[in-house]
Amino acid sequence: MLEIKNLHARIEEDGTEVLRGVDLTVPTGEVHAIMGPNGSGKSTLSYVLAGRDGYEVTEGSVTWNGVDLLELEPDERAAAGVFLAFQYPMEIPGVATMTFLRAAMNAQRKARGEEELKTPEFMKIVKAAAEKLKVRPELLKRPLNVGFSGGEKKRMEILQMSLLEPGLCILDETDSGLDIDALRIVAEGVNMLRGPARSMIVITHYQRLLNYIVPDRVHVLSKGRIVRSGGKELAEELEQSGYRDFGEEAA
Amino acid sequence: MTVAVTKTEAERALKSQFEAKFDALPGNEWVRGLRREAFAEFDREGLPTRRNEPFKYTDLRALIREVAEFSETGNMPVSETDLYDVLGVDLDELDAYRIVIIDGRFNRELSHFDRAAGLEVMPLQEVLDAPPDWFRAEFGKVNPPPGSNPVLALNTAFMTDGAVIRVAEKAVIDKPVHLISVTGSTQKIAIAHRNFVTVGAGAKITLLETYAYRRMPFAQRNAATEMIVGDGAEVHHLKYQNEGVDALHLSTWMTRIGARAKYNAFQFALGGGLARSQIYARFAGEGAQADISGAMMQFGRQHCDLTMLVDHAVPHCTSRELFKAVLDDEARGIFQGKILVRPHAQKTDAKEMARALLLSPRAEFDAKPELEIYADDVACGHGATSGEIDENMLFYLRSRGIPEDLAKTMLITAFIDEAIDLIEDEAIREAFKKISCGWLGCR
């Protein structure tokens, strides 16, 4: 279970307060959507959860299955089961995708005190996961994300997610930059990973992603706080009315 | 304008040593003439200062405080086992013909190249004592640096020995030739040695020059290699610089590239306290291509200067240069690269790029890429960048569970490998990658 209590965070560089008291509980096995207009703090929330530098938490707490996440380095959070699917996955020239996948999988295993994967075993696991998520084998031979299309990058994120088997998945604007076909494939991949032992936070501006990844709960983030929560029908309501009711300009 | 300045202690030492050792240095009367001429050239202006533009970032007059005794022979022998220690497992196991120079002297016992068809190797000393016509016609004239060059002048004045390598026309040397220059002396010594290489038309060779030390890390070396790449020849010319932490490494490559030839050069610089490497390459025939690239990995207070001039003297030639520097602590990396396109060298295609990755706020990279173009129908470009490890990339890797140190190592490796990957010889390429990994591991 993820518990966020009264979380305040600001941008280190200029001191802008972006999160102003976020309260959110995501029980194990549930998928929660966080919706909100641009600038409401959605991406900041995802970065603070994943441990990116450049943000300062001034108040509040984040615990994941009883572990204080804010005390951990980003790689320690990953080993603890946190996974952030990036809005804009980084292109990393010179780092082969397979080398990267192996380093990530083995680092997490090592952190958990498990044995590292042997090459044949690793190859088998990656191949099976790639087939399931319709990731072209050629992509695995390239440097990480370099020259990938928007859809390919997002699929690579979901592939990583399936290989690392996190307990908490945070999907930051996974729908951005995707056409409807790519969106469907990515959503199918996400749905495959839904399960009773896994919590997910789906961050999105638009309701359309939630047609494919149907959430258990929907929260509206506005000006750094959760201002409303409800069932999946809340997303549809927002689609009709926009974010004006929350004191924001229509996006 | 020549300004009369007081000679430094180092300059005075060079002069007195030249006078004292002149008679014992090898070479016939013609060679002795070359030495005198070279030393006189040096003596006119002395060690170069930063006011001498090519030495702008490497003021040798200020940096070389003292000159060690030029050695005629080192005081300690170097064995096969020593070579293993010097080279490390990756380079020692390289399947190659070997030419070994110890303390500036050609060493027959440790060298083995006899079974290479089309490859002729001689100690320079013997050639200097009785220079044949082909040698006299070219030595010192293959592609000398423009104007006076004090580093080369000192090499000519003091050179003791080295390797003369001749590759017969159309000969394909089946294994790399590994020219290993090691200092083994326990005393602080200065050495000057010189190689002369001619590659016949249509021949093919991979030549790796390794510069390393066995016992004490403070030798003062001045090495030079002249090379003629024949028409249609293919040469892979590499240098691995792994001198000791307090060593002085001065190096000059002078290459002339024939028509339709392919010249791929790569310099990999790690060891050395103060290093100045000069590369002069000139296209002498149309339709040739060159890739002159390199990588430097420096830490502590190392100073590593790579200065290059690629002279497009004829039309229809292509050159590529990619230099990468990884600089930690207070290390200083310098890249000066000039591409000169002469008035008739139309259809020249030349691109150079220098990039540095700074791992510490006190590391420094100075880059001076230059294009000097006198032809109007050419495609030329240059660029230089320097920066730190990309924070976004680092976070991305860490967010997947990769610890910070490993994530940084992966990014640095990716950065430097872009240059190392230009090396065509797989065994050398992989050996350099392992050396680079080792550097990152023990940094």
Side-chain angles (χ1 to χ4, degrees), chain A residues 52 73-75 78 83-84 86 90-95 100 104 107-108 144-145 157 160, chain B residues 390-404 406 410-411 413-415 417:
Chain A
R52 187 178 203 134
E73 293 291 314
D75 44 288
F83 182 94
L84 169 64
F86 283 62
M90 294 301 300
E91 295 195 8
I92 308 197
V95 173
F100 160 74
Q108 293 205 14
L144 185 58
N145 290 328
E157 294 289 287
Q160 292 171 32
Chain B
D390 186 304
E391 284 296 327
N392 293 322
M393 290 187 193
L394 188 61
F395 174 65
Y396 188 79
L397 296 180
R398 294 185 73 194
S399 77
R400 298 305 183 245
I402 300 174
E404 187 171 11
L406 177 58
M410 287 173 79
L411 293 173
T413 303
F415 174 84
D417 279 0

Side-chain angles (χ1 to χ4, degrees), chain B residues 312 317-320 339 341 345-352 371 373 375-382:
Chain B
H312 282 264
C317 290
T318 303
S319 74
R320 291 287 178 274
I339 295 172
V341 182
Q346 301 296 1
K347 304 288 178 193
T348 287
D349 177 351
K351 299 208 167 49
E352 75 170 343
L371 294 174
I373 302 172
D376 52 13
D377 185 11
V378 300
C380 295
H382 68 57

Side-chain angles (χ1 to χ4, degrees), chain A residues 19-39:
Chain A
L19 301 181
R20 298 186 176 98
V22 174
D23 286 295
L24 177 68
T25 300
V26 184
T28 304
E30 291 194 4
V31 174
H32 287 207
I34 294 179
M35 299 185 70
N38 292 331

Side-chain angles (χ1 to χ4, degrees), chain A residues 95-112 114-127 140 142 144 156 159-160 163-164, chain B residues 397 400-403 406 410:
Chain A
V95 173
T97 300
M98 291 299 266
T99 308
F100 160 74
L101 291 175
R102 191 171 177 165
M105 289 170 78
N106 280 336
Q108 293 205 14
R109 280 168 175 259
K110 208 172 147 191
R112 292 193 295 254
E114 298 165 20
E115 286 237 349
E116 294 198 352
L117 285 167
K118 302 263 183 305
T119 306
E121 199 184 344
F122 164 74
M123 300 294 281
K124 217 170 106 186
I125 294 172
V126 174
K127 214 178 142 218
L140 297 173
R142 292 210 219 141
L144 185 58
M156 184 55 71
L159 174 68
Q160 292 171 32
L163 292 171
L164 296 172
Chain B
L397 296 180
R400 298 305 183 245
I402 300 174
L406 177 58
M410 287 173 79

Side-chain angles (χ1 to χ4, degrees), chain B residues 146-161:
Chain B
S148 73
N149 187 286
V151 171
L152 178 66
L154 285 175
N155 182 277
T156 307
F158 284 100
M159 63 186 170
T160 46
D161 206 347

Side-chain angles (χ1 to χ4, degrees), chain B residues 258-277:
Chain B
R260 302 171 313 282
K262 174 176 165 178
Y263 178 67
N264 279 13
F266 192 91
Q267 295 204 347
F268 189 31
L270 277 89
L274 168 59
R276 156 83 175 188
S277 297

Side-chain angles (χ1 to χ4, degrees), chain B residues 192-393:
Chain B
H193 52 117
R194 178 95 156 230
N195 306 305
F196 185 83
V197 184
T198 64
V199 180
K204 192 175 169 184
I205 185 174
T206 295
L207 174 66
L208 167 61
E209 297 182 25
T210 290
Y211 294 94
Y213 71 104
R214 174 62 188 105
R215 294 190 177 86
M216 296 314 235
F218 45 45
Q220 297 184 322
R221 185 197 301 280
N222 185 329
T225 298
E226 280 186 273
M227 180 185 280
I228 300 168
V229 179
D231 292 350
E234 179 177 333
V235 175
H236 299 269
H237 189 193
L238 302 101
K239 185 175 108 175
Y240 170 43
Q241 172 194 319
N242 195 26
E243 308 274 21
V245 284
D246 291 322
L248 168 68
H249 177 85
L250 301 174
S251 153
T252 310
W253 276 10
M254 296 159 282
T255 306
R256 191 171 77 216
I257 305 162
R260 302 171 313 282
K262 174 176 165 178
Y263 178 67
N264 279 13
F266 192 91
Q267 295 204 347
F268 189 31
L270 277 89
L274 168 59
R276 156 83 175 188
S277 297
Q278 321 184 117
I279 299 176
Y280 303 95
R282 177 163 57 95
F283 289 104
E286 297 187 16
Q289 46 171 305
D291 186 316
I292 302 171
S293 295
M296 61 171 80
M297 304 177 92
Q298 304 276 305
F299 69 112
R301 303 197 61 183
Q302 286 184 286
H303 177 120
C304 189
D305 176 329
L306 192 127
T307 295
M308 178 189 76
L309 170 63
V310 177
D311 183 350
H312 282 264
V314 295
H316 294 286
C317 290
T318 303
S319 74
R320 291 287 178 274
E321 294 84 27
L322 174 65
F323 286 88
K324 290 237 170 162
V326 174
L327 305 167
D328 201 358
D329 303 328
E330 291 169 61
R332 190 166 179 207
I334 292 139
F335 172 74
Q336 301 186 100
K338 185 195 262 191
I339 295 172
L340 169 63
V341 182
R342 294 188 188 262
H344 301 293
Q346 301 296 1
K347 304 288 178 193
T348 287
D349 177 351
K351 299 208 167 49
E352 75 170 343
M353 176 58 76
R355 292 189 193 281
L357 189 58
L358 306 175
L359 304 182
S360 142
R362 286 163 302 151
E364 182 178 328
F365 182 59
D366 302 294
K368 200 175 74 175
E370 277 181 281
L371 294 174
E372 197 175 312
I373 302 172
Y374 299 101
D376 52 13
D377 185 11
V378 300
C380 295
H382 68 57
T385 63
S386 99
E388 296 164 25
I389 288 180
D390 186 304
E391 284 296 327
N392 293 322
M393 290 187 193

Side-chain angles (χ1 to χ4, degrees), chain A residues 95-98 101 130 133-149 151-156 159:
Chain A
V95 173
T97 300
M98 291 299 266
L101 291 175
L133 293 166
K134 300 187 179 69
V135 171
R136 289 186 294 131
E138 302 91 84
L139 291 185
L140 297 173
K141 291 177 188 153
R142 292 210 219 141
L144 185 58
N145 290 328
V146 176
F148 288 23
S149 70
E152 286 168 338
K153 282 180 186 167
K154 295 296 168 80
R155 242 177 291 169
M156 184 55 71
L159 174 68

